[in-house]
Amino acid sequence: MEQIKQYIEQNRERFLEELFELLRFPSVSADPKYKDSVLKTADYVAEKLKQAGADNVEVCPTAGYPIVYGEKIIDTTLPTVLVYGHYDVQPPDPLELWKTPPFEPTVRDGKIYARGACDDKGQFYMHVKAFELMMKTDTLPCNIKFMIEGEEEVGSNNLGIYVKANKERLKADVVLISDTSMISMENPSLETGLRGLSYLEVEVVGPNRDLHSGVYGGAVANPITILSKMIASLHDENNHITIPGFYDKVLVLTDEEKKALNSAPYDEEEYKTDLDVQELWGEKGYSTFERTGTRPTLEVNGIWGGYIGEGAKTVLPSKANAKISMRLVPNQTSDEITKIFTDHFEKIAPKSVKVTVTPHHGGEPVVTPTDSVAYKAAQKAITESFGKAPIPTRGGGSIPIVALFEAELGIKTVLMGFGLDSDALHSPNEKYDIFNYYKGIETLPLFHKYFAELSK
Amino acid sequence: MEQIKQYIEQNRERFLEELFELLRFPSVSADPKYKDSVLKTADYVAEKLKQAGADNVEVCPTAGYPIVYGEKIIDTTLPTVLVYGHYDVQPPDPLELWKTPPFEPTVRDGKIYARGACDDKGQFYMHVKAFELMMKTDTLPCNIKFMIEGEEEVGSNNLGIYVKANKERLKADVVLISDTSMISMENPSLETGLRGLSYLEVEVVGPNRDLHSGVYGGAVANPITILSKMIASLHDENNHITIPGFYDKVLVLTDEEKKALNSAPYDEEEYKTDLDVQELWGEKGYSTFERTGTRPTLEVNGIWGGYIGEGAKTVLPSKANAKISMRLVPNQTSDEITKIFTDHFEKIAPKSVKVTVTPHHGGEPVVTPTDSVAYKAAQKAITESFGKAPIPTRGGGSIPIVALFEAELGIKTVLMGFGLDSDALHSPNEKYDIFNYYKGIETLPLFHKYFAELSK
């Protein structure tokens, strides 16, 4: 432990500098106009893995963005940890809301503000530095493999193909991922589950052209009005989702699980104040933690139609669109929910419009075991570096790859996230506390140490 | 009549050329970036009025875009016709749907395609040319005044001030406007009423920042979902508007009026085919003509919120917006309906969001008399040039100025429109038939002739 702290102390500045360099790449995978930057980011990650001491580093091409692979095999009889992360980031929009430019990392009261600061550049890079630390201090206790992808924010479509094609190379005893959050630094936690995702785009077409709202208004269906009515009908008065069969396969928590989940510290007033809302909203009969961690949800991520420019235009538009995504929980499956939604949405469309539903991407929900050697190692590592045992929580987000690993490689995952819910992931002014960054670099070597010990 | 036809024949090409020149100005009043073009358009109109023979031509400045005035007083004992029109046009968006550029007038099978071709450049310019014709052939039978404004598409806010300040100068016996449409060239018609307008913008704000839909989804109100529910609630299952008091002052048609209105030729199959819709939509218990001409309506003209870029972004947005307008009928008033809507919309907002309603502009509904000298003159003129008496109809659009004239100057209006509902006003590929353009220039001198005669 002393040795770890000392090495971090000696390389403090450089560790931060390198992360800043990484954050300056606008590696937005959703928008083609950033293509070059995304590719440059992959090369940078590969370069850093080499410098840290990884062997067989390779920028593996895919049909989309490349996957960066690297490894250090010290003894094939020792256990192997596969570290997963992603170097791509969410789009920065709405740009005007950023206090400082999203791709010019800026420090304000101890926090790094930049797109990707927490999700996931700041977090996966802790592993690269922790690995460097173990190499340079000659304390690497097990084999380690890195797989850092560039399409997590757009559904990891090509990672699945890559994994299927590289089962031998990716052989490992556990997958270690830092792409989730803790309750707080005072209340360290470990996520034991993730929600799946089904993301679609819908289009509602009315008349074959934009119409004058005076000449036709009142006699022809307005696609915005119809889309609004269709969206409105997806939640009932208790905010239950009304799609037939939607909840059929939802795994119900045991009372113990409920109790454990709700034992995590939670201050509703604080929660509301942080978001500046007078009242919370959600499925009747469930707590906030249950709603975000253990219940499936449906959100409209974007909507547009008609005239959205300056001033007024009295138009009855030809069409309206929306991006809709559903978060899934065990034992729902992305394909099934996508189909159920599509059938339902087409079914509720009135004859006065034409509806098209286009699936974007999906991911499966997962629950990670809490009795595994890897989970225990994570508990020990956190307990030692934070001086407090981690609280098990359920994450609301989705990392489709976790389920994929289980299915394809038969390996379980440990989610050792060091972010905070208040880090504004996917939002303007995303941040990551410098403290958390160093804390992660300090904790990860301990995980490897205990994982190797407990695996004996 | 021969003389008229002959003069048009001799100047056919030039009449069209001049209109094309006028259509090439992108005089979009709603969008500040077109400011220079709008101003240039005013100068062009003034220049053409002078050339046609008008006196005291002036580009009158206002707080917004100028009003072009011109007159020809041949004998103060003769009646005076005040011609109103507007040289501004609607925004051209969505641009990608135009077959040819909106501001490069193009002729395809006898139709002029351009923004403003029908609304209202093509129509008000007929008056300028008809005036030229009467001047050059020395057949002007009465006094004539022109008032062509540049803010009709954004609510004519400054015209009201101008009218109040120039009552003497604008003294006239009738207002003549060509900014409406006929059923068809085979079924000429005269509009005897116009709907009023109340145009607003609403904003629904949820959390104070965009949120990760996985981390917060299901626990915080999504402003898009809430806005959709609020919009959906504005129409009931019979498509009646649910705002309390909305219909209180609506003037109910007499059976005769209903009969006359529905006597106009109407082919529902044709109507549906033209719009490519399987089924029409509207207030239960009313025909299409009643819905668009005599009943108040509520349309969402635009909606936007969340991520509307390429690809997928799993965001729970901070806010959602919509542009909403209501068409009013006698005896509703714009201010009252704006207030009723605002109160209702704020009232139905759940505590989980904050709602703001911002009024854009409004206009009052009108019904024009069918027993006036001016109306009879219009009937005679159309009957002579079309060889068929015009059918009285109710227009669904709004020309706020009509009510203003009545209130401020005590003058009634005659709506002699030569457009067609299929001219795609406010839509991509707006058009105006060349035939209608010349037909108008041919009919208008007849109106002046009969108006002068019948006024004796």
Side-chain angles (χ1 to χ4, degrees), chain B residues 9 18 21 33 36 57 95 132 140 154-155 208 212 226 241 244 274 302-303 314 321 365 391 401 409:
Chain B
E9 210 38 59
E18 289 177 12
E21 239 184 292
K33 78 167 185 278
D36 288 359
V57 174
L95 276 169
E132 173 198 314
L140 182 65
V154 289
N208 54 6
H212 184 300
I226 302 297
I241 293 157
D274 170 49
I303 190 167
T314 49
N321 300 67
I391 300 159
I401 187 68
L409 306 174

Side-chain angles (χ1 to χ4, degrees), chain A residues 84 132 195 217 275 341:
Chain A
Y84 164 85
E132 173 199 313
R195 291 198 287 188
L275 301 171
F341 176 93

Side-chain angles (χ1 to χ4, degrees), chain B residues 226-268:
Chain B
I226 302 297
L227 176 58
S228 297
K229 280 184 179 286
M230 292 173 76
I231 289 172
S233 78
L234 296 175
H235 288 96
D236 68 16
E237 66 283 7
N238 294 322
N239 299 327
H240 289 296
I241 293 157
T242 58
I243 302 168
F246 186 78
Y247 292 103
D248 287 1
K249 303 212 170 150
V250 171
L251 185 72
V252 179
L253 264 63
T254 64
D255 293 352
E256 294 70 45
E257 288 175 308
K258 263 196 176 193
K259 206 152 155 290
L261 193 72
N262 291 312
S263 69
Y266 167 73
D267 180 334
E268 182 148 313

Side-chain angles (χ1 to χ4, degrees), chain A residues 195 210 214 311 313 323 427, chain B residues 195 210 214 311 313 323 426-427:
Chain A
R195 291 198 287 188
D210 284 2
K313 187 170 190 287
K323 292 175 193 271
S427 311
Chain B
R195 291 197 288 186
D210 284 2
K313 186 171 192 285
K323 292 175 194 271
H426 297 203
S427 311

